[in-house]
């Protein structure tokens, strides 16, 4: 089993950890972790965690032959499953998959199907399973606040992480793909009233200030903002410059007409693509280092030693006539 961890920091100040090769019994596996935002960690004096981070585990089984009773298919049969652990949120979830988990699995299948070369495995199947160990919350808890479960806005960040961790696990399994696909999320949020003036005077590197109350951010944390107006999840293939998955939520038309001309759906998608490109950095490094380690294990003897040994044998040869 080969394990490699890669860590990087996004422009929003949140660290991303990506590790491959955690499950020996699986063909490929990966672990993805996104820490809590610093501003939420520093809020209040409660011993209860103010906001949950994001922790995902992905396993890939296959490609393996399908049963004989299955009709012939010239392409690989891709099956995706996303399941929340019962302890993934502060409000305990059930053991059976619900409608939201099935919906996320469909979005994940669409994102991965655009990069996998399915013609190489006819009548074969591969199963991608993502387990959400910890999911982001829609509401902030602690200091007397209500405890919120993982809701619709938190699902957007979870979907972005699922795309990234599944792509790393597929690469770890050695399945041929045209490119690695990474997930990114952007949102139009309404900042708290007391921080409007400070944020307008000192905009962050990943924010574009258009209004004292509204801002366009990458990698949003639902519990950090007062209101989520709209959000967009993008599965992006940088080498092909192609969007394999696009999921938007919210109503941009409800904004002020003057603001809607400056902050539209195209701007939201562009920020989502930019977030996916930055996430791709940690994905590429994790896959590259994991591949180098696997190559060294399969070929433990350096080629220079082999050439030196062969050269020494040729010098000791004697020719008799």
């Amino acid at each position: 089993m080969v394990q490699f961890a890669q860590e990087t920091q996004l422009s929003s100040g949140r660290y991303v950890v990506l590790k491959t090769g955690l499950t020996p019994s699986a063909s490929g596996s990966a672990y993805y972790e996104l820490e809590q935002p610093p501003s939420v960690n520093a809020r209040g004096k409660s011993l209860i965690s103010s906001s949950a981070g994001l922790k995902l585990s992905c396993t890939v089984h296959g490609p393996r032959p399908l049963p004989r009773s299955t009709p012939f298919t010239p392409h690989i049969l891709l099956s995706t499953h996303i399941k929340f652990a019962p302890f993934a949120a502060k409000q305990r979830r059930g053991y059976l998959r619900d409608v939201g988990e099935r919906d996320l699995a469909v979005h994940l299948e669409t994102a991965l199907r655009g990069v996998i070369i399915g013609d190489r495995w006819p009548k074969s199947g591969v199963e991608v399973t993502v387990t959400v160990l910890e999911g982001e919350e829609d509401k902030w808890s602690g200091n007397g606040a209500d405890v919120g479960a993982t809701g619709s806005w938190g699902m957007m960040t979870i979907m972005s992480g699922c795309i990234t961790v599944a792509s790393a696990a597929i690469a770890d399994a050695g399945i041929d793909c045209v490119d690695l696909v990474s997930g990114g999320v952007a949102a139009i949020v309404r900042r708290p009233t007391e921080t409007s003036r400070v944020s307008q005077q000192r905009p962050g590197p990943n924010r574009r200030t258009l209004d004292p109350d509204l801002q366009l951010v990458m990698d949003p944390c639902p519990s950090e903002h007062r209101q989520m107006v709209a959000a967009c999840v993008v599965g992006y293939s940088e080498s092909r410059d192609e969007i394999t998955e696009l999921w938007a939520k919210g109503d941009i038309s409800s904004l002020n007409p003057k603001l809607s001309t400056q902050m539209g759906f195209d701007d939201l998608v562009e920020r989502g693509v930019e977030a996916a490109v930055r996430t791709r950095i940690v994905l590429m490094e994790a896959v590259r280092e994991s591949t180098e380690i696997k190559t060294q294990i399969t070929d433990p003897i350096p080629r220079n030693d082999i050439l030196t040994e062969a050269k020494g044998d040729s010098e000791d040869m004697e020719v008799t006539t």
Side-chain angles (χ1 to χ4, degrees):
M1 179 179 63
V2 179
Q3 296 185 5
F4 177 79
Q6 181 67 23
E7 179 178 347
T8 189
Q9 185 177 13
L10 299 179
S11 59
S12 58
R14 306 173 68 181
Y15 280 93
V16 177
V17 178
L18 184 61
K19 188 174 184 179
T20 59
L22 273 75
T23 308
S25 59
S27 303
S29 60
Y31 172 78
Y32 178 90
E33 181 175 348
L34 179 64
E35 72 165 7
Q36 304 173 10
S39 59
V40 175
N41 289 336
R43 185 186 303 171
K45 299 180 180 180
S46 175
L47 297 177
I48 304 175
S49 177
S50 59
S51 174
L54 181 61
K55 297 179 181 180
L56 305 173
S57 176
C58 180
T59 57
V60 175
H61 297 274
R64 51 191 176 187
L66 296 175
R68 294 184 178 181
S69 59
T70 306
F72 176 79
T73 171
H75 306 283
I76 192 172
L77 183 61
L78 177 62
S79 301
T80 57
H81 305 278
I82 296 179
K83 183 69 182 73
F84 282 81
F87 49 84
K90 292 181 174 62
Q91 181 179 353
R92 190 174 180 85
R93 304 180 65 97
Y95 291 94
L96 300 178
R97 290 199 306 163
D98 55 13
V99 179
E101 293 170 343
R102 294 189 181 95
D103 189 21
L104 291 179
V106 173
H107 286 289
L108 180 60
E109 181 181 355
T110 305
L112 298 178
R113 191 175 295 276
V115 295
I116 295 179
I117 306 177
D119 300 340
R120 306 231 176 139
W121 296 279
K123 201 178 180 181
S124 300
V126 59
E127 183 177 354
V128 180
T129 304
V130 179
T131 303
V132 181
L133 303 176
E134 184 177 357
E136 289 198 338
E137 311 289 341
D138 279 2
K139 299 179 182 179
W140 177 73
S141 62
N143 294 335
D146 296 334
V147 178
T150 303
S152 57
W153 296 112
M155 291 287 190
M156 309 294 282
T157 305
I158 293 175
M159 185 71 254
S160 173
C162 288
I163 295 175
T164 304
V165 72
S167 180
I170 289 176
D172 185 61
I175 300 177
D176 295 338
C177 300
V178 294
D179 189 21
L180 294 174
V181 57
S182 57
V185 58
I188 299 176
V189 301
R190 194 178 302 275
R191 68 167 65 93
T193 306
E194 60 272 9
T195 60
S196 299
R197 296 182 179 180
V198 179
S199 300
Q200 186 179 12
Q201 295 175 359
R202 298 179 181 178
N206 65 326
R207 302 182 179 185
R208 185 179 64 179
T209 303
L210 301 175
D211 184 78
D213 293 332
L214 295 177
Q215 59 184 175
L216 183 60
V217 301
M218 295 185 301
D219 185 31
C221 180
S223 60
E224 187 182 19
H225 306 286
R226 185 177 66 180
Q227 180 186 2
M228 300 280 290
V229 179
C232 175
V233 178
V234 173
Y236 183 65
S237 173
E238 185 178 10
S239 300
R240 298 168 62 91
D241 193 16
E242 179 181 349
I243 296 178
T244 60
E245 170 60 21
L246 179 62
W247 180 23
K249 179 180 176 61
D251 188 9
I252 303 179
S253 61
S254 61
L255 301 176
N256 190 341
K258 295 182 179 180
L259 293 177
S260 61
T261 58
Q262 303 175 5
M263 185 185 301
F265 179 74
D266 294 340
D267 298 329
L268 191 62
V269 174
E270 289 180 1
R271 282 303 177 113
V273 171
E274 185 178 351
V277 171
R278 298 190 180 188
T279 307
R280 181 185 172 90
I281 297 176
V282 63
L283 177 61
M284 290 288 294
E285 289 296 325
V287 173
R288 180 181 61 84
E289 295 293 338
S290 178
T291 305
E292 291 179 356
I293 295 176
K294 289 182 179 180
T295 305
Q296 295 176 1
I297 293 177
T298 55
D299 189 11
I301 303 177
R303 294 186 176 181
N304 295 333
D305 298 344
I306 298 177
L307 295 176
T308 303
E309 183 179 358
K311 183 177 180 181
D313 295 342
S314 61
E315 293 178 353
D316 295 339
M317 293 178 59
E318 295 183 1
V319 180
T320 59
T321 56

